[in-house]
Amino acid sequence: MTGVNRDDIRAAVGAGMISEAQAASLVALSDARRGVREHMTGLDEPFELYKGFNEIFIVVGLSIFFAGWLGLTGLSLFEITSIGYIATMVYAALAAGAVILLARYFTLKRRMVAPSIALAIFFGISTAQFGMGLSWMLRGDLPMTLTLGAGLSTVLLCIYYAVFRVPFAMALIALGVFATCFGIIAIGGTLPDDPRDLFLLSAEGPFAVLTIVLGLVGLAVALRFDMSDPHRVTRRSSSGFWLHVIAAPAIVNTVSLTLFDIGTVTAQLMVLVFVLAMAIFAIAIDRRSFLVSGVGYIVALAFTVMEGAAFLSIFMLGLVLIVLGAQWENIRRAIMNTLPGFPGKTRLPPWDILTPEEPIT
């Protein structure tokens, strides 16, 4: 027997012999024992937003339900004075409590992906509203209100993640950390003059430095998740994925925009070198987010430097991405076999592909 039969498990769930949670655990155990990573076509990078249209249906219902609650209570992330801080805190606490009850069913019992993501978002919004109401009670100004809302939401989202283990919550936590840190700086009276100041190291203020530092911290935590689950059969690797989604743009955007803003040929060449280095790094850790983050700068560079040949360059870039996507595993194997040994290399996702004739030991 090569593994559990999914149809038999679905039948057992339908007959009431086992619960959906038990079925999900059984499938995960079977995949882990067989080495699911080796059985994936092309060593693909697992990614899941929903399991079926029923989950989308439920998300639509949850979204309408939450929007109706906001309309009935007057809760908002932008204005809290219309209903008062006491009402804001009470309504936000009720909303967060309702989300927890719903998460116990849709996340812990039903193991649904899309509803779990939606509920994590609603919990983040509700706790942020509670923090804003608390700040208004303390007579805080706008920067303090936004900072306290983001900070409290981030802390409670950490607890939410510890209880429900929703990987997407990691992305919300990372965004909350960014918002809280930027808000603390804003409380001191320092505000960005331009949105580019968040990524431009040559701009005045500490925002760009903070962006890249937090991006590197997020990358370190994401790699820790990845290395704890190199075969990517648990939710730890999914948590790492969402951290990569937030950390990669923070790093790539900051370095690339800073170099691109210099405008010299040398700086433009350094952008290409940096993006190439990030591409090799992304292939080594088997994460495509760094490549996606750098594509925009290659396109901008093509229009700036190559002018008439820009569309040819973009055409070639698209072709490279297609080939890379189609042959990712072969390219990765060649790169990993070429790279010398370095700390943590053996804890990265495997890069050797097993042929169908080779037995699984």
Side-chain angles (χ1 to χ4, degrees), residues 1-355:
M1 184 176 180
T2 58
V4 296
N5 187 303
R6 265 53 170 185
D7 292 333
D8 289 342
I9 288 184
R10 294 190 188 99
V13 173
M17 298 174 64
I18 60 175
S19 67
E20 291 188 51
Q22 291 171 326
S25 299
L26 203 62
V27 171
L29 176 62
S30 173
D31 288 343
R33 286 176 60 83
R34 290 186 296 117
V36 67
R37 183 71 185 176
E38 285 82 352
H39 287 280
M40 289 180 180
T41 302
L43 298 182
D44 196 7
E45 182 179 353
F47 176 69
E48 189 176 42
L49 284 176
Y50 62 93
K51 294 181 179 179
F53 191 77
N54 185 48
E55 292 199 359
I56 303 299
F57 185 79
I58 293 173
V59 167
V60 172
L62 290 173
S63 300
I64 294 174
F65 179 76
F66 188 71
W69 171 257
L70 295 181
L72 287 173
T73 60
L75 285 172
S76 171
L77 279 175
F78 307 101
E79 183 182 11
I80 58 175
T81 57
S82 59
I83 61 174
Y85 63 85
I86 294 180
T88 295
M89 296 170 66
V90 170
Y91 290 148
L94 290 174
V99 168
I100 290 174
L101 293 177
L102 289 169
R104 286 178 58 85
Y105 178 72
F106 288 112
T107 301
L108 295 183
K109 184 177 181 180
R110 297 290 299 274
R111 304 283 183 175
M112 290 186 167
V113 179
S116 297
I117 292 175
L119 289 171
I121 294 173
F122 298 156
F123 183 80
I125 292 174
S126 299
T127 50
Q129 290 167 334
F130 185 91
M132 294 176 68
L134 180 61
S135 175
W136 191 63
M137 182 179 68
L138 299 174
R139 300 294 187 265
D141 56 10
L142 180 60
M144 179 180 175
T145 298
L146 297 177
T147 303
L148 187 56
L152 182 62
S153 178
T154 302
V155 172
L156 293 178
L157 276 169
C158 289
I159 300 175
Y160 187 91
Y161 176 82
V163 174
F164 296 104
R165 296 292 178 182
V166 179
F168 182 79
M170 271 297 160
L172 299 178
I173 292 171
L175 290 174
V177 171
F178 273 92
T180 303
C181 292
F182 289 142
I184 291 173
I185 295 176
I187 290 176
T190 303
L191 296 173
D193 297 325
D194 189 280
R196 285 164 30 109
D197 291 351
L198 298 177
F199 302 100
L200 197 59
L201 290 171
S202 59
E204 295 183 1
F207 292 101
V209 175
L210 183 60
T211 296
I212 195 169
V213 168
L214 292 178
L216 291 171
V217 172
L219 173 61
V221 177
L223 288 175
R224 184 175 179 84
F225 275 116
D226 286 348
M227 291 182 175
S228 68
D229 180 25
H231 290 272
R232 293 181 178 169
V233 296
T234 72
R235 284 174 290 184
R236 292 194 300 274
S237 64
S238 298
S239 301
F241 167 83
W242 287 111
L243 278 177
H244 281 295
V245 169
I246 304 300
I251 298 171
V252 176
N253 289 353
T254 303
V255 176
S256 299
L257 181 60
T258 300
L259 292 173
F260 193 76
D261 189 69
I262 296 175
T264 63
V265 175
T266 302
Q268 291 166 351
L269 290 175
M270 289 178 65
V271 172
L272 289 175
V273 172
F274 173 72
V275 172
L276 178 61
M278 288 294 97
I280 295 175
F281 177 75
I283 293 172
I285 66 173
D286 201 15
R287 292 295 189 186
R288 293 156 177 80
S289 56
F290 284 86
L291 286 178
V292 175
S293 300
V295 167
Y297 290 101
I298 298 297
V299 173
L301 187 62
F303 277 111
T304 302
V305 178
M306 301 180 182
E307 298 180 352
F311 286 108
L312 176 61
S313 303
I314 295 172
F315 173 81
M316 295 302 297
L317 174 62
L319 180 61
V320 169
L321 291 177
I322 292 172
V323 172
L324 185 59
Q327 297 296 320
W328 178 275
E329 63 277 2
N330 294 322
I331 296 172
R332 183 168 185 264
R333 182 173 69 249
I335 290 177
M336 294 302 287
N337 287 333
T338 302
L339 289 174
F342 55 84
K345 182 178 181 180
T346 57
R347 297 173 61 192
L348 292 173
W351 55 87
D352 287 320
I353 305 174
L354 298 175
T355 62

